Amino acid sequence: MRCKSRWLWILSWLQSLVVFPLYVWTISPQLQRGRSIAITRGASKPSMRSPLKTSGKSSNTPRGCCVAVVGAGVAGLVCARRLRQAGIQVEVFEASDAVGGRVRTDTVELPGNAKEEGTFLLDRGFQILIEAYPQVKRQLDLKRLGLRSFAPGAFLAFGKGELRMVSDPIRSPKYILRTITSGIASIKDLLILLLLRFKQVFFEGPYTALEECQGTPPPNTESFMLGKLGLSTVLVDRFLRPFFEAIYVTPLAQQSSACFRFVLRMLAEGRTSLPERGMQAVADQLAEDLLVRLCSPIVEVRPTGVRIDAEWKDFDAVVLAVDLPAARAFLPELDQTDEGTRSSTWYFALPSPPPVSEPLIVLNSTLQTGPDEADLPRLVNVAFPSLVQPSYAPKGWDLAAVTVRGPEKLGFGESWVRHELGCLFGIGSLDAWRLLRVYHLDFHQPAQWPRTLQPRVPVASGIYVCGDHCAEPTLDSAMRSGQRAAEAVLEAIFVADLRRV
Ligand SMILES: *[C@@H]1O[C@H](CO)[C@@H](O)[C@H](O)[C@H]1NC(C)=O
């Protein structure tokens, strides 16, 4: 067995050096199997305080059960879909006017222009779809999303308009020279990363990094990169730190190395893309065929029902699928200490062409001065979604998404953002850039470190809970937690059903 896998390893390694498509072909297929089993196994044990009524309006079969899902974000939608598949009636309650939660898109026209000139697609906070996420592949029909992808890599902005390009030498060989000459990664760094990648691809499952740290908190990503992996400070400070701070909008020292390893693997395995109709299309697809009541804020939840305004509606089980701040308001017994991260995305319309031509994200790679910097606003990254997905901007225009770390109360304004952009691209005047809209995300993601990341289906007061705060702050985890909550509900229904017979 060992011998066989070593041979496979050597063989694939040789292949990867020679022919790239073979490499892809070798790693992808078998890795995905067994995944669904792992997830089902992760479902919680039947709860002792099973919130299911064994009498009342539910009929003799589980199929007569009716479950309420509060919140039509990604976790809630996935949960509802799974329950529906099992033949359970599900009603989803959403307080806002559309599904998606934090995965939403607005259609916006240029101020002062007629609608005929076209519209911009603004995701509520810049986001991307990582196609390799196991749950993304499982829950979504990616073909129907009309995806287009970023190139694997990034532009590193050193200030005063200096941009250097780094890219994945395996997936984007055409930029290999520019990467090597960028002076960012030493040969040693490249070898370390290559070895890590091969270890992940051949010896680990997709979720190994996350599973390994259950029970014991993993080191933070900064000490993992510099200490455990031994990467150079140049590579970390100029590329990996800005890159992962762009993903999580959190200082590297407050990120979990388990999330880093998981996402690194996902980035190596698949593309990062934008749907043709914006990220909202992801949520819309999940909501197809579901009964979702929009503009229906729930004011109280109990194991046996939910209250809208003054009216109580009875259910056999209730799943609370709202984000952490909202969940805390419903269930004070949830952990009240975890902080969330804050960020804002500033969308500008600019006449084509944008300052960069390749579909790569632009990272602020200026060195940070110290820990007290975490309290200052920082321009983290700039992306031009319309370079990747032309539907994001009308003809003749491009869209810039500028992500800034830090709470709104820091008081930075449009002129600060424009000044930073000017430094980044070395452009004196940004007069032609027109601010379309700003999204202040007071709760961008739940904090990821220090804490033990473990898949949880908390059953608080008999109510099932799911969302990214039940695991890691990724789209995949949000989906996985929804799936897990649904399995737990099904298990309880099944147990209650057996008892009745
Ligand atoms: C990038 O980050 C550094 C450090 O946080 C900051 O001082 C600088 O203003 C940022 N912006 C640009 C355009 O370099």
Side-chain angles (χ1 to χ4, degrees):
M1 183 61 216
R2 261 193 82 87
C3 192
K4 193 178 160 213
S5 58
R6 182 164 309 158
W7 264 110
L8 259 178
W9 191 88
I10 294 172
L11 197 75
S12 311
W13 194 73
L14 286 173
Q15 279 177 348
S16 76
L17 290 180
V18 193
V19 198
F20 170 57
L22 274 183
Y23 165 79
V24 175
W25 175 81
T26 322
I27 62 165
S28 306
Q30 63 278 53
L31 282 175
Q32 302 321 320
R33 267 170 232 142
R35 169 173 36 94
S36 52
I37 305 164
I39 289 162
T40 327
R41 221 190 301 126
S44 79
K45 315 248 155 23
S47 155
M48 294 314 286
R49 300 179 289 168
S50 171
L52 286 166
K53 293 184 295 184
T54 41
S55 58
K57 75 179 179 61
S58 62
S59 71
N60 295 337
T61 62
R63 286 173 188 272
C65 283
C66 195
V67 176
V69 174
V70 180
V74 164
L77 293 174
V78 166
C79 177
R81 271 161 62 100
R82 175 69 190 97
L83 291 170
R84 240 192 76 117
Q85 266 172 16
I88 308 281
Q89 278 182 47
V90 191
E91 232 173 298
V92 184
F93 297 91
E94 169 57 43
S96 75
D97 58 353
V99 300
R102 275 165 280 160
V103 184
R104 298 263 319 248
T105 305
D106 292 314
T107 306
V108 169
E109 49 206 90
L110 211 55
N113 281 43
K115 201 166 192 152
E116 301 80 66
E117 291 189 41
T119 50
F120 294 84
L121 293 181
L122 310 186
D123 294 326
R124 292 196 181 171
F126 172 65
Q127 39 196 299
I128 49 168
L129 184 67
I130 296 184
E131 288 185 40
Y133 278 154
Q135 283 289 326
V136 162
K137 289 193 277 192
R138 178 179 178 171
Q139 305 285 350
L140 296 169
D141 178 1
L142 292 179
K143 282 208 191 73
R144 279 200 290 137
L145 292 177
L147 297 172
R148 289 186 180 226
S149 309
F150 284 89
F155 278 116
L156 311 183
F158 283 62
K160 299 205 182 81
E162 185 188 349
L163 295 182
R164 296 194 203 172
M165 181 197 271
V166 288
S167 84
D168 184 330
I170 296 181
R171 293 178 53 216
S172 215
K174 72 172 170 174
Y175 296 131
I176 200 161
L177 256 181
R178 285 179 75 171
T179 305
I180 290 173
T181 55
S182 69
I184 300 298
S186 65
I187 300 282
K188 184 180 158 211
D189 288 329
L190 287 178
L191 280 176
I192 292 173
L193 288 177
L194 211 65
L195 270 178
L196 178 64
R197 180 135 146 195
F198 282 125
K199 183 173 155 247
Q200 290 192 316
V201 163
F202 295 108
F203 300 105
E204 294 181 358
Y207 291 122
T208 302
L210 301 176
E211 281 157 2
E212 265 177 20
C213 69
Q214 284 172 29
T216 36
N220 72 46
T221 305
E222 185 176 44
S223 50
F224 181 77
M225 285 175 180
L226 294 168
K228 183 113 198 285
L229 290 180
L231 293 167
S232 69
T233 44
V234 179
L235 179 73
V236 171
D237 287 343
R238 296 294 197 174
F239 174 47
L240 293 174
R241 181 191 303 278
F243 190 76
F244 278 87
E245 290 191 359
I247 293 182
Y248 293 120
V249 201
T250 303
L252 204 62
Q254 289 163 29
Q255 295 183 17
S256 147
S257 55
C259 292
F260 161 71
R261 284 166 59 201
F262 173 61
V263 168
L264 187 74
R265 181 194 170 118
M266 293 299 131
L267 292 173
E269 226 173 83
R271 301 178 301 172
T272 50
S273 311
L274 291 173
E276 190 177 358
R277 286 182 300 111
M279 287 297 284
Q280 175 92 50
V282 169
D284 287 346
Q285 200 187 92
L286 291 174
E288 280 169 8
D289 305 325
L290 287 177
L291 173 61
V292 183
R293 303 209 183 279
L294 298 175
C295 307
S296 306
I298 297 295
V299 283
E300 210 181 323
V301 292
R302 282 193 198 153
T304 53
V306 298
R307 185 157 72 88
I308 315 177
D309 296 328
E311 187 204 347
W312 274 99
K313 292 192 81 174
D314 285 343
F315 287 95
D316 295 295
V318 174
V319 179
L320 190 61
V322 294
D323 65 15
L324 186 59
R328 278 175 183 157
F330 282 115
L331 301 171
E333 66 264 54
L334 286 185
D335 185 357
Q336 300 283 332
T337 54
D338 266 3
E339 275 288 313
T341 63
R342 291 191 173 91
S343 73
S344 56
T345 300
W346 298 64
Y347 282 109
F348 290 89
L350 59 142
S352 306
V356 297
S357 54
E358 277 86 359
L360 285 167
I361 191 167
V362 184
L363 303 172
N364 177 0
S365 291
T366 314
L367 293 182
Q368 297 179 49
T369 45
D372 37 310
E373 253 219 40
D375 299 328
L376 299 175
R378 173 175 151 85
L379 183 153
V380 179
N381 67 281
V382 183
F384 298 94
S386 53
L387 268 182
V388 174
Q389 188 60 271
S391 56
Y392 271 65
K395 230 180 155 37
W397 290 88
D398 271 292
L399 178 67
V402 183
T403 303
V404 178
R405 181 183 84 200
E408 190 181 356
K409 66 167 190 284
L410 288 176
F412 58 88
E414 184 180 344
S415 55
W416 179 83
V417 175
R418 282 181 181 274
H419 171 258
E420 287 292 299
L421 280 170
C423 297
L424 199 83
F425 293 113
I427 316 175
S429 158
L430 285 170
D431 292 346
W433 291 39
R434 292 165 68 180
L435 183 63
L436 285 172
R437 199 174 269 191
V438 188
Y439 292 96
H440 290 286
L441 308 178
D442 281 335
F443 186 81
H444 175 107
Q445 286 171 341
Q448 46 176 297
W449 193 91
R451 68 175 242 214
T452 347
L453 298 166
Q454 42 188 326
R456 301 176 276 179
V457 185
V459 185
S461 319
I463 290 158
Y464 296 89
V465 184
C466 64
D468 57 357
H469 58 95
C470 294
E472 311 81 33
T474 66
L475 186 73
D476 186 79
S477 292
M479 290 177 157
R480 218 153 56 113
S481 80
Q483 183 88 14
R484 227 182 265 127
E487 302 295 350
V489 171
L490 289 175
E491 214 165 309
I493 287 177
F494 188 66
V495 169
D497 216 47
L498 278 182
R499 278 204 204 111
R500 219 176 306 147
V501 177

